[in-house]
Amino acid sequence: MSGAPAAGEPGDGGLKPAAVSGVRWTSLAQFVRFGLQLLSTLVLAALLPPDAFGLVGMAAVVVGFVALFRDLGTGAAVIQQRDLDESTRSTVFWVNVALGLVAGAALFAAATPVSRFYGEPRLAPVMRALAFALPLAGPGVVPLAILQRELLFSRIARVEVSANVIGVGAGIAAALAGAGVWSLVLQTLVTTAVQSGMGLLLAPFRPRVLFRTDRLREVLGYGAGLTGFQVTHWLTRNVDQLLIGRFAGATALGYYALAIRLVFQPLQAASGVVGRV
């Protein structure tokens, strides 16, 4: 897939047609994702008890924080770089694989202390399972960033729609089989794995055994400031769920997490269209 753009993808027609095409494809993908996420929320809410969403909500707060350090802003740096040669792309790819493994191991180790903080012993195994999402996401950071950098939004749409269809299907099937909270965990892991795998398949990039510390320092220099902003943003967006989970418990957080999901999904779908392009 590293040759000429497929039908509907930007070629050499200039930035404006590429941007218009990007908005169109991103809008389509966001619309489909929103519909799938809404369907998933409604169906799973009917099949699962509220505390299942609360347990995943407790874990998601910590997973989201650790995930901020999974790529250290290198995905955005890949998009920003003026000159992105093969050695830089491969260097950043292997760094992201390593960071995903380290972040996943750290989250796995933190499962017991975090469950004690919440006073919820059922949380530890859920966190340990969700920890595998971080190493699964690592290999997809650079391919997905390159797709965005090259304005190949039709391919990004295929990646995201396919990942969400398969992930939602896996989650609902598991819930129907009586898997309980593990259906939510499975949905996350399957969606992440499919997104990384398809990103690698469709991106005009194949990692090579190359590593350049000078280019890595340049990329990390850009990413460090972005990571600092993301940490601040995480605090403003998640402290409420952290406090509800700590003092009100899994059931209360489950109701709150469901309400937040239903309210913010349309806003995130709309803002994601223009922001990405």
Side-chain angles (χ1 to χ4, degrees):
M1 298 298 298
S2 57
E9 294 180 346
D12 297 323
L15 182 60
K16 183 177 179 180
V20 172
S21 174
V23 169
R24 184 173 65 248
W25 279 108
T26 305
S27 299
L28 175 62
Q30 292 286 57
F31 177 78
V32 174
R33 286 181 62 195
F34 171 69
L36 287 169
Q37 289 168 358
L38 181 61
L39 173 66
S40 171
T41 299
L42 295 175
V43 172
L44 293 176
L47 294 173
L48 303 177
D51 62 348
F53 292 91
L55 287 172
V56 171
M58 289 175 175
V61 172
V62 184
V63 173
F65 180 76
V66 175
L68 297 176
F69 303 94
R70 186 199 65 213
D71 68 352
L72 296 177
T74 54
V78 165
I79 299 170
Q80 180 266 347
Q81 290 289 301
R82 181 181 295 274
D83 299 311
L84 190 68
D85 57 24
E86 186 66 30
S87 61
T88 302
R89 295 190 295 178
S90 292
T91 296
V92 178
F93 174 84
W94 295 117
V95 166
N96 275 287
V97 170
L99 287 173
L101 291 170
V102 171
L107 188 61
F108 192 95
T112 298
V114 170
S115 68
R116 288 174 180 166
F117 168 80
Y118 280 113
E120 179 52 82
R122 296 176 298 168
L123 178 61
V126 172
M127 277 193 59
R128 292 191 188 105
L130 287 173
F132 288 95
L134 300 181
L136 286 173
V141 172
V142 170
L144 292 170
I146 289 173
L147 286 173
Q148 188 168 340
R149 172 189 172 90
E150 301 297 330
L151 304 178
L152 298 175
F153 291 104
S154 67
R155 300 189 190 185
I156 295 175
R158 277 186 278 169
V159 169
E160 293 184 342
V161 170
S162 298
N164 278 271
V165 167
I166 297 172
V168 167
I172 292 177
L176 289 170
V181 67
W182 297 107
S183 58
L184 298 173
V185 173
L186 180 66
Q187 179 175 330
T188 297
L189 295 178
V190 169
T191 301
T192 303
V194 173
Q195 185 163 297
S196 285
M198 288 196 65
L200 278 167
L201 179 66
L202 296 180
F205 163 70
R206 293 294 177 268
R208 297 172 58 189
V209 185
L210 297 171
F211 197 88
R212 286 184 56 183
T213 56
D214 57 330
R215 298 310 303 270
L216 178 61
R217 285 194 296 269
E218 182 179 345
V219 169
L220 290 178
Y222 176 86
L226 180 61
T227 300
F229 162 76
Q230 289 174 332
V231 169
T232 304
H233 184 65
W234 177 91
L235 289 171
T236 62
R237 288 290 302 274
N238 291 279
V239 68
D240 53 346
Q241 297 190 60
L242 181 68
L243 294 175
I244 292 171
R246 173 66 177 84
F247 296 107
T251 299
L253 180 58
Y255 284 117
Y256 185 76
L258 277 171
I260 287 291
R261 184 183 298 188
L262 290 171
V263 169
F264 277 100
Q265 278 178 351
L267 297 175
Q268 291 170 345
S271 63
V273 173
V274 177
R276 170 174 290 171
V277 177

